[in-house]
Amino acid sequence: AAYFDQQDMPLGQANADLVDQGKSLYRGGNMASGVPACAGCHSPTGSGIEAAGYPRLSGQNADYVVKQLTAYRDGERDAGQNASIMMDVASKLTDQEIEAVASYVSGLN
């Protein structure tokens, strides 16, 4: 794990059609549905906050993020110290919002 942690993370490319929505969700959340900003825990740059156990999202594969957020939302992923936080957040996300924020973080650097 230490070796991989020291490697440069390849960045994906966000879907241009989803960038605005993904950026808005990541940086400001969705007040109407109670979704907090992702940046609050994962940092504005997506680098995560290691001391708090919040992982890096910057450059993460969009399909992987979609899969994980959907699993949190559906109650299929309940592991790790912050699982309950993510289950609560993801439960408020629509499929479109999940796709948008996943695409956005894949190109975030």
Side-chain angles (χ1 to χ4, degrees):
Y3 168 79
F4 287 109
D5 187 49
Q6 298 302 315
Q7 303 308 301
D8 289 332
M9 180 76 130
L11 294 178
Q13 185 163 354
N15 179 332
D17 295 334
L18 300 174
V19 168
D20 289 340
Q21 182 183 18
K23 182 178 182 178
S24 177
L25 283 166
Y26 188 86
R27 297 192 178 273
N30 181 342
M31 290 184 66
S33 62
V35 174
C38 306
C41 295
H42 296 282
S43 88
T45 63
S47 61
I49 302 173
E50 187 175 339
Y54 302 131
R56 175 188 185 103
L57 295 180
S58 173
Q60 187 61 266
N61 179 282
D63 291 336
Y64 174 80
V65 176
V66 167
K67 182 177 179 178
Q68 299 313 309
L69 287 174
T70 301
Y72 277 125
R73 184 184 64 193
D74 296 345
E76 296 170 359
R77 179 171 179 172
D78 185 8
Q81 83 185 81
N82 295 318
S84 62
I85 296 169
M86 285 306 304
M87 290 172 76
D88 181 56
V89 170
S91 73
K92 300 170 187 166
L93 292 169
T94 66
D95 288 341
Q96 175 66 28
E97 289 173 326
I98 287 174
E99 187 177 344
V101 80
S103 178
Y104 179 73
V105 299
S106 72
L108 187 61
N109 60 17

